[in-house]
């Protein structure tokens, strides 16, 4: 059905972008998905968000919510519906320096957050790219450069300001709406629109940063040795591995971040990594945390990186899992594969405390294909690795389904998530497809 021209209610005057607006091209899409929404609302307050929801209900428009636009599922846009783009709601405020309590609006990008907190000597672990929006990551999980020291981003959320599907504004914290706080910390997309968060930040200015390149043997022994190092590593050490294959040769490019400015501790944390195999390159330095999520990352999202992505969590790199990973990387389907370390502070959080229950797994493995390869090609390549995984992370799945929901929210967790989505959004206005 063609909804016809969209007339702005008074509250949204000057805050709606339609296809005839010169700005539409830079508001219509996400990083991975080109959309054709009937209208994009760009609110500046929770009241504006509520007005946009009312407009969507009145016009019968499907709703998509966007904080930054890096979301791999593409749910930050749609065709023929209304997109609520939160980019103008981007304030970052230190509420209480002594308690490291920070309020961040959901439309801020993590590069902006890092830069705003740096003069205060504070940081929040926040993914690995400065252009990612706060809202999507902080309601899904948050596996970042400080994850083993800081925990997931959701683990440091102390309160969330949420606009529910009926337009009401609710503050969810441990004393008020604890069920809403629980679901917003890991499965927030189907419960409401987060417009601001209160985080407990980490005392941190500089970090150790190292890059190591190593040859990966066909049996995956290098990955098993990396697993062994991380089992004994200090929680300050977090790693991310990117794989590259050229014919019979597979290389691992390891980024290691040590969440301290103590140079001796940095050296002690990184040195064991140099013994995991045939290291061909290494670089180490002390750098501000802001350099890991710099403002230079911030760019306009116009669907420039179409991709299909899936993921799984590994409890251990067994010999079979290591071989499967190497075989996948070296296989006939070109893939972008990463393996990010977990454990440390992640494992110290009660699995029942948030809607992200995966606490004992030690690695997140993600795989992406790019055109002309599609999602079916990805699944065929991924299948041998999938059998070694246990659970998944909702933010790295580009084709949401009931099966992917069950992997992200297994068993009783999924039952509780679904029930809370129905409670807070009974008409399914915001509910992700699955």
């Amino acid at each position: 059905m063609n909804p016809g021209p969209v007339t702005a209610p008074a509250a949204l005057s000057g805050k709606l972008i339609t296809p005839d607006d010169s700005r539409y091209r830079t508001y219509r899409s996400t990083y991975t998905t080109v959309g054709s929404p009937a209208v994009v609302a760009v609110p500046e307050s929770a009241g504006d968000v509520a007005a946009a929801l009312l407009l969507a209900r009145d016009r019968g428009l499907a709703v998509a919510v966007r904080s930054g636009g890096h979301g791999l599922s593409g749910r930050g846009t749609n065709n023929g519906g209304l997109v609520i783009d939160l980019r103008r709601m981007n304030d970052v405020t230190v509420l209480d320096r002594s308690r490291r309590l920070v309020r961040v609006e959901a439309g801020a990008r993590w590069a902006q957050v890092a830069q705003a907190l740096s003069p205060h000597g504070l940081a929040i672990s926040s993914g690995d790219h400065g252009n990612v929006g706060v809202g999507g990551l902080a309601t899904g999980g948050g596996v970042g450069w400080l994850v083993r020291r800081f925990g997931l981003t959701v683990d440091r959320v102390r309160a969330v300001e949420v606009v529910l599907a009926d337009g009401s504004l609710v503050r969810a914290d441990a004393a008020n709406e604890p069920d809403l706080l629980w679901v917003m910390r890991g499965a927030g997309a189907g419960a409401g629109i987060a417009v601001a968060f209160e985080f407990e930040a980490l005392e941190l200015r500089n970090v150790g940063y190292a890059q190591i390149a190593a040859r990966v043997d066909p049996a995956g022994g290098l990955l098993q040795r990396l697993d062994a190092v991380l089992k004994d590593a200090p929680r300050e050490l977090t790693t991310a591995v990117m794989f590259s294959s050229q014919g019979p040769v597979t290389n691992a490019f390891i980024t290691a971040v040590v969440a301290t400015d103590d140079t001796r501790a940095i050296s002690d944390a990184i040195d064991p990594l140099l013994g995991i195999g045939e290291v061909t390159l290494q670089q180490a330095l002390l750098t501000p945390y802001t350099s890991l999520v710099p403002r230079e990352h911030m760019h306009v999202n116009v669907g420039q990186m179409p991709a299909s992505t899936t993921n799984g969590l590994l409890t251990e790199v067994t010999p079979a899992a290591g071989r499967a990973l190497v075989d996948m990387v070296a296989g006939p389907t070109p893939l972008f594969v990463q393996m990010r370390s977990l454990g440390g502070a992640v494992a110290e959080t009660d699995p029942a405390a948030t809607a992200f229950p995966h606490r004992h797994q030690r690695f997140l493995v993600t795989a992406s294909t790019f055109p002309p390869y599609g999602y079916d090609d990805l699944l065929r390549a991924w299948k041998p690795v999938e059998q070694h995984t246990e659970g998944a992370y909702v933010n790295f799945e580009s084709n949401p389904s009931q099966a992917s929901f069950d992997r992200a929210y297994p068993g009783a967790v999924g039952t509780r998530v679904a029930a809370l989505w129905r409670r807070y959004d009974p008409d399914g206005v915001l509910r992700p497809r699955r």
Side-chain angles (χ1 to χ4, degrees):
M1 181 181 82
N2 185 346
V6 178
T7 303
L12 295 175
S13 178
K15 301 169 186 174
L16 297 182
I17 297 172
T18 53
D20 58 354
D21 190 306
S22 61
R23 298 169 294 173
Y24 183 76
R25 176 181 174 273
T26 58
Y27 280 80
R28 64 184 294 185
S29 302
T30 70
Y31 185 55
T32 63
T33 306
V34 175
S36 298
V39 60
V40 179
V42 193
E44 297 176 0
S45 67
D48 291 347
V49 173
L53 284 170
L54 179 61
L55 174 63
R57 282 181 176 273
D58 287 347
R59 299 291 297 167
L61 299 174
V63 176
V65 181
R66 178 191 307 155
S67 61
H70 253 245
L72 295 172
S73 69
R75 290 200 303 257
T77 191
N78 59 31
N79 295 315
L82 181 142
V83 172
I84 298 175
D85 187 310
L86 300 172
R87 70 181 69 189
R88 293 181 187 170
M89 300 178 66
N90 58 17
D91 285 349
V92 181
T93 306
V94 177
L95 298 175
D96 186 333
R97 178 61 182 82
S98 65
R99 294 193 295 150
R100 306 187 306 280
L101 193 63
V102 177
R103 181 181 184 272
V104 183
E105 290 189 328
R109 311 290 175 102
W110 286 108
Q112 296 170 310
V113 177
Q115 185 151 9
L117 296 184
S118 181
H120 301 277
L122 298 173
I124 299 171
S125 188
S126 55
D128 60 4
H129 200 281
N131 197 45
V132 172
V134 167
L137 183 133
T139 55
V143 179
W145 290 122
L146 310 175
V147 68
R148 284 172 41 83
R149 170 67 180 86
F150 181 95
L152 300 168
T153 308
V154 298
D155 297 342
R156 294 298 185 108
V157 172
R158 300 295 174 253
V160 191
E161 297 166 34
V162 186
V163 176
L164 299 179
D166 64 4
S168 59
L169 176 63
V170 178
R171 175 187 168 89
D173 57 32
N176 305 287
E177 293 285 356
D179 283 344
L180 182 59
L181 177 65
W182 181 87
V183 76
M184 294 301 295
R185 297 168 69 193
I193 301 176
V195 293
F197 301 84
E198 290 181 15
F199 294 101
E200 182 183 339
L202 179 70
E203 196 94 36
L204 187 73
R205 290 185 187 272
N206 300 318
V207 297
Y209 175 83
Q211 290 183 308
I212 299 166
R215 186 72 54 84
V216 182
D217 56 292
L222 179 131
L223 304 181
Q224 294 172 60
R225 291 189 289 276
L226 173 63
D227 187 9
V229 166
L230 287 167
K231 284 179 180 176
D232 296 327
R235 55 190 279 165
E236 286 79 9
L237 175 65
T238 294
T239 63
V241 183
M242 183 181 71
F243 297 93
S244 175
S245 180
Q246 296 179 336
V249 177
T250 298
N251 289 302
F253 298 92
I254 304 169
T255 298
V257 175
V258 188
T260 178
D261 60 3
D262 183 327
T263 55
R264 178 60 182 270
I266 292 169
S267 178
D268 289 347
I270 291 173
D271 280 351
L273 295 173
L274 305 181
I276 63 174
E278 182 185 344
V279 174
T280 57
L281 173 68
Q282 71 177 85
Q283 178 185 20
L285 50 89
L286 186 68
T287 187
Y289 175 69
T290 51
S291 69
L292 302 185
V293 284
R295 291 188 72 92
E296 288 76 15
H297 280 176
M298 294 178 65
H299 52 70
V300 175
N301 293 316
V302 292
Q304 67 266 47
M305 188 57 71
S308 297
T309 299
T310 194
N311 75 95
L313 298 160
L314 283 178
T315 301
E316 182 181 8
V317 182
T318 63
R323 284 194 300 272
L325 267 168
V326 177
D327 288 347
M328 178 180 69
V329 172
T333 302
L335 298 171
F336 177 70
V337 179
Q338 287 187 302
M339 187 171 80
R340 307 175 188 216
S341 60
L342 299 172
V346 179
E348 294 167 4
T349 298
D350 182 349
T354 72
F356 190 105
H358 309 291
R359 299 296 173 168
H360 65 277
Q361 295 93 330
R362 297 176 38 75
F363 293 97
L364 165 66
V365 181
T366 66
S368 300
T369 54
F370 305 95
Y373 297 92
Y375 193 73
D376 290 343
D377 301 305
L378 173 65
L379 290 188
R380 282 192 291 270
W382 174 254
K383 189 173 183 179
V385 172
E386 182 179 17
Q387 63 182 304
H388 300 287
T389 64
E390 180 186 1
Y393 176 27
V394 67
N395 281 7
F396 279 96
E397 176 55 57
S398 63
N399 191 32
S401 64
Q402 183 64 51
S404 67
F405 177 91
D406 291 343
R407 293 175 66 223
Y409 310 111
V413 174
T415 300
R416 186 180 180 190
V417 166
L420 290 174
W421 283 1
R422 289 192 298 270
R423 183 202 300 182
Y424 291 109
D425 181 12
D427 297 327
V429 174
L430 302 171
R431 198 170 303 155
R433 70 184 188 278
R434 56 187 177 94

